[in-house]
Structure formats: C-alpha cells, structure tokens
Amino acid sequence: MTDTQLPSVSREWHLAARPVGWPKPEDFALVEAEVPQPGEGQILVRNKYVSVDPYMRGRMSAAKSYAAPYELGRTMQGGAVGEVVASRAEGIGAGDHVLHFLGWREYAVVDAKQAVKVDPEAAPLSAYLGVLGMTGLTAYAGLLRVASFKEGDSVFVSGAAGAVGSQVGQIARLKGASRVIGSAGSDEKVKLLVEEYGFDAAFNYKNGPVGEQLREAAPDGVDVYFDNVGGDHLEAAIGRLNRDGRVAVCGMISVYNNTEAAPGPRNLARLIQTRGRIQGFLVGDHYDLQQQFVQEVGAWVRSGELKYNETVVEGIENNLEAFFGVLRGDNTGKMIVKL
C-alpha cells in the first residue's frame, strides 16, 4: 500500500473524563483524526488487532502508579499489532508486521525503536498480543521467577480462564505441578479449565464462599497462589498456604473500580506460621526472559500442548465495549479487538 492509497482519516479513542467507580461510556470519545505521516526513524502502522486489558483501568485515574495516567483529550494507549504501510526507518519496511504500544486507534506513527517485528507465518498475528505477547510473558515470569515454582508444587490460580491465568495453569502443569486449581466466574469457564486446559480442579467463585470451595479443591493446601483477583481470593489462598508458600500478585481486578479502600486480608498473621511470601510484580521488570519465553512457550503452542482462547470483538467502534467486557469478566482467554 502506498501513501496515496491511505485514507485521510483515522478513528481513535480519547479519554474524555476520569472515571469514578465503574467507567461509563460518556467518559470516552471516539474521534476522527488526520492520518499522521512518519518522521525520520518512524513507521506508519495500520493496526490490525488491538488489546484491551484490566490494567488500563488504573491508567484512567490521575493517581500516581507504575504507568503514567492517560491524558484527558488524548488518544489512549495499549498493545497493538499491525502492518507497516509507510516507513522512514532502517530495518522495517512497508509490508512488515510489528508489535507496538499505540493501540486504541486505526493508524499509528511509531518510533521504530519502540516496535518489534513479528512473523505472521510463525503464529497468528493476534497471538502476539496474548499467548506469545505481554500476557504470556506475565504468566511465565510470574509463575517461574516471582513465585519460584518448582516441580511438585500445588498451584492455585484466580481469574484462571483469563488470558494470563489460563496460561499460568497450563505452564504449571507442563512443568510438573502436583495439582493445579483454578477459579473462574461461570460454570462454562470451570468446565473449560478442566476439560481443555488440563486443570485438576476448578470452581465457580459465584457458587459459594471462596475459602470453602478452595478448601475442598485443595485438601492438601497450596504451595503457589497466582493472584489476578485479590479480595476474598487472596484471603482464601493465604488460608490454604503450605509451609514456605508463595503468592505472586499480578492483579486485583476485584478492587479496580472501588471508590473506597477495599479491606485487606484478615489472616496475614498466618504468613508467620507458614513462612509464606507475598510479592507483587510487573512484567516490565522481566523482559530479560523474553527470548527464553518465546522459545519454550512457542514450542508448546506449536505442538498443541498449550492451548489458548481468544475473545475477538470486531471494529474500532466496539473497542470500549470490549474493555468493559474485560472488567465484567465476559472474555474467555485474551480479549482482542480486530480492526
């Protein structure tokens, strides 16, 4: 595609107001902007798939966090993969496909140094936003490095049918876990965890107190808890930790939309008895594992040993609804918008 064939207008999502509690449609605006042209060292990318993720809710707040807040009246950001349609950078040309971080828009000008070439022949493009992308590396690093997983460990994963959680459970299984337990928000997802992803046990957290259901699913306790939810799940997991148990805190989606501080686990003193450890982490601290991760997990994906699901929503105009769906837990596996 040449520059003369490009449309003159690109649609993009702006943050119009900072949400209080659950985000509302009026907090956002879908606007039209002129298709930008790349400068020296830059590329113009036509996004084909964009990612929506729970962490984005935090960036909509003005509060200081590990990532800069989205700016009001400006295009939001997020993972995206697309085709290069114009280039003024060495090493990347028109027709190449790249992974970058300027999602929530149809066209993006990206500094070539901030883009990673990907191979659409090696895996579907959407996979680079999920199973072979940031979410996959999050699962890999969080389980193997942060939680210090070792063969024979019993592992509990919350949000286990999501993009990260489903991969955590399968990696644990492939690495020799003695038992893998997951929680999810529907009976259909529970069935998926056991029948497709190979979890040993799973439960629907809406069907009863999490502590009671986990006690039944993990009669011998858990050595590792991978936390995507927080709240009652974290308290339940602490209650079932074995000696030297480890908790890797990846996310706490249950409290992201709270307008008041959520109560903390009431049983932290149990960590003294179990010599337990709780550690939060960010995937950005573990990119040194990227090559190892792609090699090992890519091989499992190609062999069919590691399975993944995607929930695909069509159209940039539905980007916002897809994001709301992630916060509600509508997705099975990675939530992706196809442009």
Side-chain angles (χ1 to χ4, degrees), residues 5 9 16 21 25 29 45 84 91 109 128 130 135-136 146 166 196 198 225 234 250 295 300 303 314 322 324-325 338:
Q5 294 173 298
V9 171
V45 182
V84 178
V109 165
Y128 293 103
T135 51
V146 180
S166 59
E196 184 168 344
Y225 170 49
L234 178 56
C250 175
Q295 288 178 346
W300 286 332
S303 69
E314 301 262 354
F324 289 166
K338 181 180 180 181

Side-chain angles (χ1 to χ4, degrees), residues 154-158 168 179-183 203 210 214 218 222-227 233-234 236-237:
S154 172
V155 178
F156 172 44
V157 188
S158 58
V168 171
R179 187 169 178 81
V180 179
I181 303 133
S183 71
F203 60 86
V210 174
L214 180 59
V222 297
D223 301 300
V224 169
Y225 170 49
F226 194 103
D227 190 17
H233 280 74
L234 178 56

Side-chain angles (χ1 to χ4, degrees), residues 10-329:
S10 172
R11 291 177 294 172
E12 54 190 42
W13 280 97
H14 288 192
L15 185 64
R18 299 208 181 276
V20 177
W22 277 86
K24 304 179 294 296
E26 51 266 35
D27 295 327
F28 308 86
L30 181 62
V31 304
E32 292 187 346
E34 184 178 344
V35 174
Q37 294 302 311
E40 192 65 33
Q42 295 183 322
I43 55 177
L44 175 63
V45 182
R46 176 168 62 88
N47 287 336
K48 291 193 170 184
Y49 296 92
V50 300
S51 177
V52 288
D53 302 280
Y55 79 86
M56 294 174 174
R57 176 61 184 87
R59 296 194 67 186
M60 293 170 188
S61 167
K64 187 176 181 179
S65 184
Y66 61 85
Y70 291 137
E71 296 182 47
L72 291 176
R74 300 288 294 274
T75 317
M76 293 184 291
Q77 299 172 342
V81 64
E83 181 182 357
V84 178
V85 294
S87 174
R88 295 188 61 191
E90 290 186 18
I92 301 179
D96 286 339
H97 292 83
V98 296
L99 175 67
H100 62 91
F101 207 68
L102 295 180
W104 289 82
R105 71 200 81 191
E106 291 177 305
Y107 286 84
V109 165
V110 183
D111 290 337
K113 292 179 180 179
Q114 303 299 319
V116 177
K117 288 172 67 171
V118 297
D119 184 0
E121 300 298 322
L125 284 176
S126 58
Y128 293 103
L129 293 176
V131 65
L132 294 179
M134 183 176 72
T135 51
L137 181 58
T138 300
Y140 188 87
L143 177 69
L144 301 183
R145 175 178 282 173
V146 180
S148 305
F149 171 86
K150 60 184 184 298
E151 185 177 354
D153 278 345
S154 172
V155 178
F156 172 44
V157 188
S158 58
V164 173
S166 59
Q167 214 157 329
V168 171
Q170 291 184 84
I171 293 171
R173 174 176 55 79
L174 289 164
K175 288 283 192 178
S178 61
R179 187 169 178 81
V180 179
I181 303 133
S183 71
S186 74
D187 293 340
E188 291 77 15
K189 289 180 179 180
V190 167
K191 184 178 180 182
L192 176 77
L193 292 176
V194 175
E195 295 185 359
E196 184 168 344
Y197 294 150
F199 281 60
D200 296 291
F203 60 86
N204 180 349
Y205 66 83
K206 297 176 182 177
N207 287 349
V210 174
E212 293 179 11
Q213 295 196 77
L214 180 59
R215 192 177 304 114
E216 184 175 334
D220 296 322
V222 297
D223 301 300
V224 169
Y225 170 49
F226 194 103
D227 190 17
N228 291 305
V229 174
D232 55 354
H233 280 74
L234 178 56
E235 184 170 296
I238 292 170
R240 297 303 297 160
L241 273 189
N242 291 330
R243 167 76 187 263
D244 298 316
R246 290 88 68 202
V247 176
V249 181
C250 175
M252 292 193 174
I253 197 170
S254 70
V255 303
Y256 286 170
N257 295 304
N258 288 1
T259 55
E260 297 180 3
R266 297 165 295 181
N267 57 348
L268 284 174
R270 194 166 186 280
L271 295 175
I272 303 169
Q273 173 191 346
T274 63
R275 290 75 152 179
R277 166 167 63 87
I278 299 179
Q279 181 176 342
F281 74 100
L282 296 174
V283 67
D285 296 332
H286 302 281
Y287 277 116
D288 60 299
L289 293 174
Q290 176 78 24
Q291 187 174 356
Q292 174 186 323
F293 154 71
V294 170
Q295 288 178 346
E296 188 165 23
V297 175
W300 286 332
V301 170
R302 287 190 295 275
S303 69
E305 293 174 276
L306 192 148
K307 304 180 188 305
Y308 68 98
N309 279 275
E310 296 173 340
T311 300
V312 180
V313 173
E314 301 262 354
I316 187 72
E317 65 276 7
N318 294 314
N319 221 85
L320 184 60
E321 182 54 35
F323 171 67
F324 289 166
V326 168
L327 296 182
R328 292 191 300 260

